[in-house]
Amino acid sequence: MPILDVQHIEKHFGTTRVLEDISFSLEQGQALAIIGSSGSGKTTLLRCINFLETPNQGRILVNGETLFDADDPATQRESEVRKKRLHFGLVFQSFNLFPQYTALENVTLAPGLLAQERPDFKQNKKAILEEIQAEGRRLLDKMGLADRAGHYPHQLSGGQQQRVAIARALALKPDILCFDEPTSALDPELTGEVLKVIRSLAEQKTTMIIVTHEMAFARDVADQVIFMDGGVIVEQGPARQVIETPREERTRQFLSRYSEN
């Protein structure tokens, strides 16, 4: 059974159809890269999967459980959607760190707020918060930022800020970690350090969806690749096959334009 099953997702903004009949599945421990030109629907798809946008049609299942069904209003209640977002961690292209908090505080904020909902929080508050702090430091160390825990975002490079954002997403222990063009806001020299972290997560079999314009990275790191154009999936399959020997003419045209840039 796949960890994620996306069935016939459609999204419209007014009369504009942004996504049409999107279906795919993702196995636990796999990395899926989504590629395509700007405006092809990649980010909208990711936002639908993370419940930041509400699809007009379709279903989303995680571990066999229906998290969203366009025909079932009960799956769309805000209280339910809030819980379902916890299945996904999202790393934005623009970092979205809280500027008034240190790196460690950014990583531990959400787990600390969630912990307050635990029935044993009042009795074990100190131990629980210490555990959250320790986990936050462990994640920053995993990102190579152990010595930056007390730094504020403005004291960090773009690459460091994005690595804090990755640690923050991992802190909630999501089933699936999602990246929306995680290197597009970075200078070329900082791109490598973020891609190295994502490559390491792939090697550790972290289940991931990566919207990216880094074709070589997608080929080498992802298990599967989806190519989107005009709001539809044009081609999907094993990463090397899609990128090195695409079957569809539209995919070939996109990749050839990319190689010329």
Side-chain angles (χ1 to χ4, degrees):
M1 181 177 65
I3 189 170
L4 175 67
D5 194 8
V6 174
Q7 301 176 356
H8 309 294
I9 289 293
E10 296 194 3
K11 179 63 182 175
H12 316 147
F13 293 108
T15 58
T16 304
R17 302 173 74 87
V18 181
L19 298 175
E20 291 195 54
D21 198 21
I22 301 291
S23 297
F24 67 90
S25 61
L26 179 64
E27 299 294 329
Q28 185 161 6
Q30 282 196 334
L32 167 69
I34 303 177
I35 63 173
S37 303
S38 296
S40 60
K42 308 185 302 294
T43 293
T44 300
L45 174 58
L46 202 61
R47 289 177 65 84
C48 286
I49 293 169
N50 282 272
F51 305 104
L52 296 174
E53 298 284 357
T54 303
N56 297 94
Q57 296 292 334
R59 301 171 73 218
I60 299 171
L61 295 86
V62 171
N63 288 320
E65 177 190 359
T66 300
L67 298 192
F68 175 85
D69 185 339
D71 296 325
D72 182 1
T75 66
Q76 300 172 45
R77 289 195 295 262
E78 181 56 37
S79 59
E80 291 298 309
V81 168
R82 182 170 169 267
K83 294 176 190 173
K84 291 165 182 176
R85 284 192 186 119
L86 296 175
H87 289 280
F88 301 90
L90 181 56
V91 179
F92 300 89
Q93 55 184 284
S94 55
F95 322 140
N96 285 12
L97 298 179
F98 296 108
Q100 71 273 33
Y101 295 138
T102 65
L104 181 60
E105 288 168 341
N106 266 281
V107 173
T108 58
L109 179 64
L113 291 172
L114 279 176
Q116 294 178 31
E117 300 177 8
R118 289 173 49 171
D120 64 336
F121 181 74
K122 287 185 178 178
Q123 298 93 320
N124 302 302
K125 179 178 179 180
K126 183 179 179 182
I128 290 171
L129 292 180
E130 286 178 351
E131 182 180 331
I132 290 170
Q133 290 283 309
E135 175 65 5
R137 291 184 182 280
R138 185 190 72 80
L139 286 170
L140 286 174
D141 182 46
K142 186 176 181 178
M143 298 296 119
L145 296 170
D147 60 342
R148 296 289 190 271
H151 286 58
Y152 290 89
H154 75 273
Q155 297 173 309
L156 302 172
S157 71
Q160 290 169 338
Q161 289 184 62
Q162 192 61 296
R163 284 183 281 154
V164 172
I166 296 171
R168 180 177 63 180
L170 288 169
L172 291 174
K173 299 179 172 60
D175 293 307
I176 302 163
L177 187 58
C178 302
F179 296 88
D180 184 11
E181 301 205 11
T183 61
S184 65
L186 299 176
D187 294 333
E189 63 267 26
L190 299 177
T191 293
E193 65 187 57
V194 173
L195 294 182
K196 181 179 178 182
V197 166
I198 301 173
R199 188 185 299 269
S200 172
L201 292 171
E203 290 170 353
Q204 296 164 37
K205 298 300 180 184
T206 304
T207 308
M208 296 186 289
I209 300 174
I210 310 161
V211 171
T212 183
H213 58 274
E214 302 282 348
M215 296 302 121
F217 175 76
R219 178 197 64 207
D220 295 342
V221 172
D223 298 286
Q224 299 286 319
V225 164
I226 284 175
F227 167 61
M228 293 184 65
D229 187 38
V232 301
I233 293 177
V234 174
E235 186 165 356
Q236 58 182 311
R240 285 192 173 274
Q241 179 262 302
V242 171
I243 290 177
E244 293 183 348
T245 56
R247 297 190 179 100
E248 300 295 328
E249 179 60 26
R250 283 157 77 185
T251 316
R252 287 195 287 270
Q253 289 176 357
F254 167 76
L255 291 169
S256 101
R257 286 199 307 271
Y258 177 85
S259 65
E260 289 167 2
N261 293 334

